[in-house]
């Protein structure tokens, strides 16, 4: 018989392993088990628990609270045959493009993948070159290239989206090289170092199934002739009936072309702006776990506050991580966070973001892009040469300017310029960050640390634009299928991967109609 055990608690300081605990608690002799989910309950810092959901198979009868007959509700994915003579073209090989391409390749579609950046190995080289020389490649950087922006962001896979296909996505990551704990951890992450290998393995499978990759190839324009589309790049021309636009949230040139010249129907949407904060990892560990801080992995937090109908929240929290220079346009400053699989860094960082609403930039599609750019360029102008503007938390809260760092040593690769960080953020964002820090300190003791470092600016958490589409995922130009974060339909690796997968499934399903 197969059973599911919910809310099975084990103290984190317990020396007995999980198998022995199950054997003792349920008096089992022969059994198999698998972890379905695992989280940490740290509400009482005197007794912190791992909380498990478990699958157990045994011939013995299990009874008790939280025990039920196990029913596997994971759907099986099908791969109908691609029946269209022309291959689909996938623009962008971030999470949405990867899973769309993988599904289409398994259906026999032999997708054509256009990516403005390089292969992941080339991207790493280009990013390292940027860190050393401060010479930016606008098409091959932290934002653009194989794997998308997520390839340099820690590989966090938690999402609020509910879908039966989420587990399929996680299993594919494991199948291509991620560790199995992402299948059950409540805050799963692959790690930037592991994610690079996972992405490369996915590309190899797509290639083995007939997919064709064109790296360093910029999507320039398309023209419709009769019942097909011609896609033009600076190198090649491709003929197709299906273009999947997985361009990411930083491809502003492509968005402007689609909106201005092709009149693709779009709408402005809310996005967020703010800073990234670095605390000592031990500060956050102590705040979350108390005396158990050295017995557990680097601590995670997720905090939110509402003020005057604006959301103020932490985003993309990286325990034991690093703050990264993430510009994709010359003479701009953008920051991001990342961490490796082991989260070995001495600091933990997170974005502190404030909602920006369409009425803040006159409800115009292009105005949202311009709003981002204005402040990204201001941030660059303050530091000049990709040094990020920064304040100590105490100085930011008190409207003074720091002269030196005390305590927290930044991981920002280019060095910081300590200045008036308020000058490169809208006033309402500055006030929102201040209020957020005060409120977050009530929820997480020690969040207000005078020596914590605020680094500007964070503007790319999501796109300020949504490309409208119908129930069949088509845009106002029926050959174009917008997918992922850049199209305004996702907010992270998993949700973007899911959107690309579901769009590809819809396209294949529609071929038979």
């Amino acid at each position: 018989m197969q059973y599911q055990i919910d809310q099975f608690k084990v103290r984190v300081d317990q020396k007995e392993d999980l198998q022995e605990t199950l054997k003792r608690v349920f008096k089992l002799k022969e059994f198999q088990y698998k972890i379905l989910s695992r989280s940490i309950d740290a509400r009482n810092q005197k007794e912190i628990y791992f909380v498990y959901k478990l699958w157990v198979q045994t011939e013995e009868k299990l009874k008790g609270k939280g025990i039920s007959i196990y029913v596997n509700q994971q759907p099986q994915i099908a791969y109908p045959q691609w029946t269209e003579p022309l291959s689909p073209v996938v623009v962008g090989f971030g999470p949405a493009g990867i899973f769309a391409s993988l599904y289409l390749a398994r259906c026999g579609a032999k997708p054509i993948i256009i990516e403005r950046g390089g292969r992941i190995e080339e991207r790493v080289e280009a990013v390292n070159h940027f860190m050393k020389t401060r010479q930016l490649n606008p098409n091959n950087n932290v934002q653009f290239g194989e794997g998308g922006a997520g390839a340099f962001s820690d590989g966090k896979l938690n999402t609020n989206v509910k879908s039966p296909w989420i587990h399929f996505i996680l299993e594919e990551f494991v199948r291509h090289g991620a560790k199995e704990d992402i299948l059950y951890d409540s805050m799963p992450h692959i790690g930037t170092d592991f994610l690079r290998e996972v992405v490369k393995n996915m590309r190899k499978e797509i290639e083995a199934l007939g997919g064709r990759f064109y790296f360093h190839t910029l999507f320039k324009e398309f023209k419709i002739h009769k019942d097909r589309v011609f896609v033009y790049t600076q190198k090649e021309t491709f003929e197709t009936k299906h273009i999947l636009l997985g361009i990411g949230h930083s491809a502003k040139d492509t968005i402007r072309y689609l909106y201005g010249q092709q009149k693709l129907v779009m709408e402005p949407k809310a996005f967020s702006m703010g800073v990234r904060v670095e605390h000592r990892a031990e500060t956050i560990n102590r705040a979350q776990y108390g005396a158990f801080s050295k017995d557990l992995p680097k601590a995670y937090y997720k905090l939110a506050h509402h003020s005057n109908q604006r959301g103020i929240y932490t985003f993309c929290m990286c325990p034991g991580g690093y703050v990264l220079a993430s510009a994709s346009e010359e003479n701009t400053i953008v920051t991001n966070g990342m961490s490796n699989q082991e989260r070995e860094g001495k600091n933990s960082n997170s974005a502190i973001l404030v909602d920006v609403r369409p009425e803040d930039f006159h409800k115009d599609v292009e105005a949202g892009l311009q709003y981002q750019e204005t402040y990204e360029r201001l941030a660059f102008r303050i530091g000049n040469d990709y040094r990020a503007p920064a304040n100590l938390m105490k100085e930011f809260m008190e409207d003074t300017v720091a002269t030196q760092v005390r305590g927290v040593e930044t991981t920002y690769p280019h060095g910081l310029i300590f200045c008036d960080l308020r000058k490169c953020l809208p006033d309402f964002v500055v006030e929102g960050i201040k209020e957020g820090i005060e409120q977050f300190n009530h929820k997480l003791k020690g969040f207000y640390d005078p020596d914590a470092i605020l680094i500007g600016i964070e503007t790319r958490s999501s796109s300020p634009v949504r490309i409208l589409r119908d129930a069949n995922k088509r845009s106002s130009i029926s050959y174009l299928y917008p997918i992922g974060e850049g199209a305004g339909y996702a907010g992270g690796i998993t949700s973007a991967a899911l959107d690309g997968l579901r769009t590809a499934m819809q396209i294949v399903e529609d071929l038979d109609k």
Side-chain angles (χ1 to χ4, degrees):
M1 182 69 73
Q2 294 182 353
Y3 297 93
Q4 180 172 303
I5 303 175
D6 294 328
Q7 292 291 305
F8 187 73
K9 293 188 174 184
V10 178
R11 281 182 61 115
V12 299
D13 55 346
Q14 179 176 298
K15 304 303 180 184
E16 186 179 57
D17 68 24
L18 183 56
Q19 184 166 353
E20 287 300 314
T21 302
L22 287 169
K23 187 175 181 180
R24 173 177 55 79
V25 170
F26 295 107
K27 299 179 172 57
L28 294 171
K29 295 178 181 178
E30 298 291 332
F31 69 100
Q32 294 178 305
Y33 79 96
K34 182 170 69 175
I35 300 171
L36 300 177
S37 69
R38 180 182 65 189
S39 59
I40 296 174
D41 183 351
R43 288 173 294 179
N44 179 358
Q45 291 189 354
K46 294 180 180 179
E47 292 185 351
I48 298 180
Y49 293 91
F50 288 116
V51 183
Y52 294 94
K53 179 188 290 184
L54 300 162
W55 166 87
V56 174
Q57 181 171 325
T58 180
E59 296 301 317
E60 302 168 60
K61 195 165 186 178
L62 289 184
K63 284 186 177 180
K65 187 177 180 180
I67 298 175
S68 58
I69 304 299
Y70 179 75
V71 179
N72 187 359
Q73 297 180 332
Q74 301 298 334
Q76 295 299 309
I77 199 163
Y79 298 100
Q81 186 63 31
W82 179 263
T83 57
E84 165 60 44
L86 295 174
S87 293
V89 173
V90 180
V91 182
F93 199 59
I98 289 170
F99 275 85
S101 300
L102 186 65
Y103 180 82
L104 291 167
R106 289 178 181 174
C107 291
K110 298 182 179 179
I112 296 164
I113 298 97
I114 300 170
E115 171 55 61
R116 72 194 296 166
R119 292 174 177 81
I120 191 67
E121 308 94 314
E122 298 169 312
R123 272 187 87 187
V124 172
E125 192 174 306
V127 170
N128 288 338
H129 179 75
F130 175 53
M131 301 303 180
K132 291 176 182 176
T133 67
R134 304 182 190 182
Q135 295 174 349
L136 177 68
N137 182 332
N139 289 318
N140 198 33
N141 46 58
V142 171
Q143 304 290 349
F144 294 138
E146 182 176 32
F152 287 87
S153 70
D154 176 81
K156 283 175 286 296
L157 303 175
N158 47 301
T159 178
N160 294 325
V161 176
K162 305 297 181 185
S163 170
W165 303 117
I166 295 291
H167 196 73
F168 165 80
I169 289 167
L170 299 180
E171 284 182 327
E172 286 300 320
F173 281 129
V174 171
R175 184 170 175 268
H176 289 90
K179 290 191 174 182
E180 287 193 5
D181 58 11
I182 68 169
L183 298 175
Y184 54 80
D185 267 347
S186 61
M187 294 293 176
H189 88 290
I190 297 175
T192 299
D193 46 351
F194 272 61
L195 186 58
R196 294 167 186 169
E197 197 64 29
V198 170
V199 168
K200 183 164 64 174
N201 290 338
M202 288 180 155
R203 180 227 305 163
K204 288 180 178 178
E205 179 180 343
I206 294 165
E207 286 178 323
L209 293 169
R212 289 175 284 161
F213 284 84
Y214 295 84
F215 291 103
H216 303 290
T217 301
L218 181 64
F219 170 79
K220 295 185 71 176
E221 63 176 341
F222 68 89
K223 293 180 181 178
I224 300 171
H225 181 68
K226 295 183 179 178
D227 64 343
R228 57 197 60 195
V229 187
F230 292 87
V231 178
Y232 297 90
T233 73
Q234 82 277 29
K235 298 178 180 179
E236 308 273 350
T237 301
F238 304 100
E239 188 178 352
T240 186
K241 289 186 178 180
H242 303 87
I243 304 175
L244 289 84
L245 289 168
I247 55 178
H249 53 43
S250 295
K252 298 176 185 177
D253 51 353
T254 305
I255 290 290
R256 285 183 166 120
Y257 160 73
L258 293 169
Y259 182 69
Q261 296 186 42
Q262 293 293 345
K263 308 304 178 186
L264 197 64
V265 177
M266 305 181 191
E267 65 180 10
K269 62 177 278 293
F271 65 106
S272 301
M273 293 179 65
V275 296
R276 193 153 282 268
V277 58
E278 282 195 298
H279 293 90
R280 303 173 190 87
E282 62 186 46
T283 299
I284 302 302
N285 293 352
R286 228 176 12 250
Q288 292 287 53
Y289 301 142
F292 294 94
S293 61
K294 295 182 179 179
D295 301 320
L296 290 164
K298 297 276 174 64
Y300 179 91
Y301 61 77
K302 185 177 182 179
L303 304 168
H305 172 67
H306 279 81
S307 174
N308 297 323
Q309 299 182 347
R310 283 192 196 272
I312 306 164
Y313 60 100
T314 62
F315 173 79
C316 187
M317 196 270 161
C318 299
Y322 307 89
V323 179
L324 208 60
S326 304
S328 57
E329 299 166 40
E330 292 182 343
N331 302 330
T332 63
I333 285 289
V334 184
T335 59
N336 187 27
M338 60 159 277
S339 60
N340 292 324
Q341 210 281 330
E342 294 299 324
R343 290 178 162 167
E344 75 285 0
K346 61 188 175 184
N347 290 347
S348 291
N349 69 78
S350 175
I352 305 176
L353 297 179
V354 179
D355 287 342
V356 178
R357 302 179 295 221
E359 50 265 36
D360 295 320
F361 48 87
H362 309 299
K363 299 184 180 180
D364 179 76
V365 167
E366 290 198 79
L369 302 175
Q370 293 164 358
Y371 199 81
Q372 278 184 330
E373 289 172 344
T374 296
Y375 290 98
E376 291 170 4
R377 294 190 186 283
L378 275 173
F380 179 85
R381 205 172 301 151
I382 289 171
N384 198 12
D385 196 22
Y386 299 103
R387 289 185 301 165
N391 278 159
L392 298 185
M393 188 176 283
K394 181 178 187 295
E395 277 75 22
F396 185 86
M397 298 295 285
E398 296 177 357
D399 296 333
T400 58
V401 178
T403 56
Q404 61 182 354
V405 178
R406 303 184 300 272
V408 179
E409 185 180 341
T410 182
T411 61
Y412 191 83
H414 293 161
L416 310 176
I417 179 164
F418 284 88
C419 60
D420 189 349
L421 186 52
R422 298 173 302 164
K423 290 182 178 179
C424 55
L425 290 167
D427 290 343
F428 72 86
V429 172
V430 172
E431 295 308 311
I433 293 170
K434 288 181 179 179
E435 184 173 342
I437 288 171
E438 290 177 355
Q439 295 299 319
F440 298 159
N441 194 55
H442 295 313
K443 300 175 182 182
L444 183 66
K445 187 178 179 181
F447 190 90
Y448 175 74
D449 178 350
D451 294 334
I453 301 174
L454 301 180
I455 304 171
I457 60 176
E458 177 98 22
T459 59
R460 305 281 182 91
S461 61
S462 66
S463 173
V465 169
R466 179 177 290 111
I467 304 174
L468 299 188
R469 64 188 188 188
D470 64 18
N472 289 341
K473 315 291 188 183
R474 295 175 185 265
S475 70
S476 59
I477 299 173
S478 62
Y479 299 101
L480 270 63
Y481 297 80
I483 57 174
E485 286 196 30
Y489 291 97
I493 291 174
T494 304
S495 59
L498 175 64
D499 193 61
L501 173 66
R502 292 177 63 184
T503 300
M505 293 170 74
Q506 184 68 55
I507 289 170
V508 176
E509 180 183 330
D510 288 346
L511 290 179
D512 295 330
K513 293 180 180 178

